Amino acid sequence: MRSFYNIISGIGIRWLFMLFIASFPALSAINADLKIELEEMEESDQNIGNKIREIGWKNPPNELLSQLELIDRKNTDKLKEIIDKHSWLTAYLVGETGVSAAFLIIQHSPDNHFKEKMLPFVKQYYINNEGVIGQEFSLLTDRVLVAQGKAQIYDTQLRIEKGLLFFEPIENESTVDQRRKELGMPPLKKI
């Protein structure tokens, strides 16, 4: 009677090794269709935003603002569906550009509760270096805080009043550059 070792030795062990190695790309393959979908959502967001920037935020046409609002709502709804299906989107699933697109959609979402819900994921994926950079984490953190009526902590959020830009209030302004440095961002004095 042949032993287990004899059965898997020789050619059998080579086949097991090949099967083992061949299975990894399938496990870590990027979902190209989902990546493209996210990138197209980001592109629609950016295209309308660029049109408004070309005209100027001082007095953009209501039609463009309505289009921007509609795109942001549609993108948010679609991203919620995607996240419900896949959980948070990792670079392994959609590549770094897919993660970046998802972040932009969250950042521009009109749904403040959704942004709050996504902030812990964005933070964790920043900490784990999984496709989220420090500036993205700081932008969403400040946006969530400002929406809650609180002072921002990284000084990334502005408001427009009569065509002029004003920074939202900041907590502990004397230590903001240290907080920004921890996220790999430049100090305010250099901006």
Side-chain angles (χ1 to χ4, degrees):
M1 180 172 221
R2 294 176 60 187
S3 70
F4 178 73
Y5 175 77
N6 288 337
I7 293 171
I8 64 167
S9 66
I11 196 159
I13 202 158
R14 279 187 232 126
W15 278 106
L16 285 173
F17 179 74
M18 293 300 288
L19 181 63
F20 179 74
I21 294 299
S23 66
F24 280 103
L27 293 174
S28 65
I30 289 177
N31 183 327
D33 291 339
L34 185 55
K35 178 182 184 277
I36 290 168
E37 183 176 13
L38 290 165
E39 290 170 346
E40 288 173 350
M41 291 164 64
E42 176 187 37
E43 185 177 349
S44 69
D45 174 285
Q46 292 298 286
N47 285 343
I48 193 72
N50 288 338
K51 287 179 185 176
I52 293 171
R53 275 187 284 286
E54 287 172 12
I55 293 170
W57 285 98
K58 202 170 200 172
N59 195 18
N62 286 335
E63 179 185 327
L64 285 179
L65 291 175
S66 294
Q67 287 177 9
L68 178 64
E69 184 180 318
L70 177 64
I71 288 169
D72 286 344
R73 272 191 276 111
K74 286 172 73 175
N75 282 348
T76 297
D77 292 344
K78 183 62 183 172
L79 185 59
K80 286 177 181 180
E81 290 175 21
I82 292 169
I83 289 173
D84 284 346
K85 181 176 180 181
H86 296 281
S87 187
W88 177 253
L89 305 171
T90 66
Y92 300 110
L93 179 63
V94 295
E96 288 190 11
T97 58
V99 172
S100 183
F103 166 78
L104 182 84
I105 295 162
I106 293 166
Q107 178 76 355
H108 291 171
S109 173
D111 185 341
N112 289 329
H113 177 71
F114 178 61
K115 286 188 271 199
E116 286 180 43
K117 184 178 170 184
M118 293 296 102
L119 184 57
F121 291 100
V122 170
K123 180 179 182 177
Q124 192 59 49
Y125 283 94
Y126 164 69
I127 290 169
N128 293 344
N129 195 25
E130 295 183 72
V132 175
I133 62 173
Q135 183 174 358
E136 291 170 332
F137 170 64
S138 70
L139 284 165
L140 187 58
T141 300
D142 280 353
R143 190 158 290 191
V144 166
L145 288 169
V146 168
Q148 293 172 340
K150 298 176 182 174
Q152 60 181 326
I153 58 175
Y154 298 107
D155 207 24
T156 64
Q157 299 300 299
L158 300 154
R159 70 181 179 284
I160 302 171
E161 289 181 14
K162 299 179 184 176
L164 300 173
L165 296 174
F166 296 93
F167 278 98
E168 293 287 350
I170 184 165
E171 182 178 306
N172 248 350
E173 191 170 347
S174 64
T175 59
V176 68
D177 285 341
Q178 179 58 39
R179 291 190 299 272
R180 292 172 64 91
K181 182 179 180 180
E182 290 169 1
L183 298 182
M185 298 170 62
L188 290 178
K189 293 169 184 75
K190 291 188 178 183
I191 296 178

